[in-house]
Amino acid sequence: QVRLLESGGGSVQSGGSLRVSCSASGLHYSWYCMAWFRQAPGAERKDREGVAAIDSDGRTNYAYSVKGRFTISQDNAKNTLYLQMNSLTPEDTAVYYCAVDPDCMSTGQALDAYGMDYWGKGTAVTISS
């Protein structure tokens, strides 16, 4: 059974940086995409925004809103996914979730929440102005 556990959320001031992590277990797939999504305060689950995705070969894709500020990476030895977030603004305030799609065809597809089969419980990130 796939289990995803996010950590590293917290509160920082605008302009600051934060790194969130996702520890994965049970990922017995030869190919998959992992991605970070976020759900802003008051938003519904269906409105979760895909912010960054990475496939098993290390190819990445980013939402326009975070490109150049966020970096997704993975440590396969530790089964851990990371999201380094720089130049944070209050608009980045959200609960951040990691998710897995074992059938993804592209990292672009992995930015769509509809295709993700497994989700963590999220970690909250708050940016103050």
Side-chain angles (χ1 to χ4, degrees):
Q1 183 177 0
V2 176
R3 296 184 188 273
L4 304 172
L5 181 63
E6 300 92 339
S7 62
S11 298
V12 297
Q13 289 191 325
S14 183
S17 298
L18 202 63
R19 188 178 80 161
V20 292
S21 303
C22 173
S23 177
S25 61
L27 268 178
H28 303 301
Y29 297 98
S30 60
W31 174 263
Y32 54 85
C33 292
M34 296 189 74
W36 286 98
F37 290 79
R38 64 186 181 186
Q39 184 170 344
E44 297 182 10
R45 176 170 178 151
K46 65 180 180 64
D47 296 322
R48 285 183 184 176
E49 176 191 14
V51 296
I54 189 168
D55 67 20
S56 299
D57 287 341
R59 286 182 290 254
T60 60
N61 207 340
Y62 297 91
Y64 180 80
S65 59
V66 306
K67 192 170 293 186
R69 300 189 298 123
F70 290 12
T71 302
I72 189 172
S73 62
Q74 59 190 356
D75 185 331
N76 292 327
K78 295 182 179 179
N79 293 322
T80 302
L81 181 73
Y82 302 100
L83 184 68
Q84 176 67 43
M85 303 182 288
N86 299 327
S87 301
L88 287 161
T89 73
E91 287 69 37
D92 295 315
T93 294
V95 177
Y96 283 73
Y97 299 88
C98 68
V100 175
D101 178 1
D103 300 314
C104 72
M105 300 297 290
S106 70
T107 52
Q109 174 185 327
L111 290 177
D112 185 346
Y114 179 79
M116 310 310 281
D117 288 350
Y118 306 101
W119 291 85
K121 294 185 181 299
T123 185
V125 172
T126 302
I127 312 304
S128 58
S129 58

